[in-house]
Amino acid sequence: MTTTTPRGPVRTGSSATGTGTLLRFMLRRDRLRFPAWTLGLPLLMAYFTTALEAVAQTPQDLAGLTAFTSSPAGALFGGPGFGFDDLTVERFLAGQYGLYVIIGAGLMGMLTVVRHTRAEERSGRAELIRANVVGRHAPLTAALILTAAMAVLVAVLTGAMMAARGYHPTGSLLFGASIGAAALVFGGIAALTVQLSEYPRAASGAAGATLGAAFVLRGLGDMATVQGSGATWLSWLSPIGWSQQTAPYVYDRWWPLVISLLAASATAALGYVLSTRRDFGAGLVPPRPGSPRAAAWLDGPSALAFRLQRAGLIGWSVALLVAGVAYGSFTQPLVDGFADAPPDLVEIMGGPANMLDGYLGMMGVTMALAVGVYAVLAMHTLRAEETDGRTEPVLATGVSRAGWLGGHVAVTAVGVLWLLLVAGLGMGVGAAVSTGDAGLIAPLLIGHVAHTPAVWLVLSIAAVLYATAPRALPVIWVPLGYGLIAAYFAPILDIPDGLLRLSPFAHVGEYPRENVSVVAVAVLILLSGALLRAAVTAFGRRDLTGGA
């Protein structure tokens, strides 16, 4: 005799099943990264606030700061300067320093989504997770929720910090919200780019290129706004511009944030749609099949390093060339705009007879800082090769540890030189067209290439960190960030000369406004070589790490 037992209804999950579990897992993995981002950005703003309040203690001090920030060059590195004709401390903070916190928030959103989606698929961990009861869209949903939580926390903490300093509560809340909105937009853009390629670096690169394009568009539009003519509408094509157009403490406009939210929702929704049109682990843009026979030059660690960095170098070359031409084309309007600047500002830019050289020298430092980002990301690529388990098979062959690390650093060092050359060429061509003086091309090439040893020093410090304590590699962003602050804000923040000299970019000189210091170049090269040698020695004495 047999019998049957009734079966209950079959429970089917949705495409978001497992989102909560994955979110808790992501929070566990980001136990250090999460507070670093969500506390770091408000603390950076708190530093700007404290420093500015210390420097600008009288209305006259504050008015003196607008000499540069109200110029086209100030708009390029700050914003459109809403309310600078009736300036207050909070308006200056939001209008000049808010840009850099917004960019930081954008990076936070972009890198968070890539880290927990495409990078997980590439490492193979996502396949193990998807073997359980996890919906197709659960990883992306959890990553976006995590990004949104980080954005909200940054917005709340920044707004609360500004309100606690006695600034208007509504403007403070809006300023924080504008920063959080940028994180949401670039998180949504990353949700889209991670569907395109099977490589996390390509996804981060595509999202980063969008961030760079947003900065350039906003800069060109804001410069036109300050000049009172030109393509002011360019600012409205930039997600960074949407956040800045809220004009906290001046107009207190909330509606530009609606554009940000719509853009974040649209890009995230498109990311969901595209994720259903690709196989797991694959991208919508398939990789090209490689040749069955390797080229003769692919026979060493340096060739492997170049092969790994080739796509990134091409992207950086195009981006820096375009940026150089774009910024160079504004040379003559910028010089004309400085004609009526206060004497103190004119002196900072090299005096009435050297205004042109002052601007061109400052752009050399700007491009060197950008190329420094490339060098740091290249070292992070090296770290990823090790954690993903691809370094160990290479070292199992006849490749030595010194050759492997040295080859990667050498290729990156040559890449730094190449990128500064390209940026200088683009800047020179743009400036020559703008001013009608083709003789500017050679000085700009020299002025940009002269900063190569400073970037090499940053690269060598990163190599030492990687070789001795690879988990501490993100610390390398500190000297690069300090170099940016020292280059742009040293006069305003009244940074002492002793502290200013700690920046690797403060020694060579801003050619053509200043002569290139041959001694500084030689010292930076020798110091970089010594640090690289120490890194190679240390790397030969530590164990490889096979997991993240």
Side-chain angles (χ1 to χ4, degrees), residues 325 327-334 428-437 440:
V325 172
Y327 287 136
S329 64
F330 268 82
T331 299
Q332 191 60 51
L334 280 166
V429 171
V433 172
S434 176
T435 62
D437 183 4
L440 291 176

Side-chain angles (χ1 to χ4, degrees), residues 20 93 159 240 330 339 350 372 390 437 454 478 530 538:
L93 286 167
I240 299 174
F330 268 82
R390 290 188 289 272
D437 183 4
V478 174

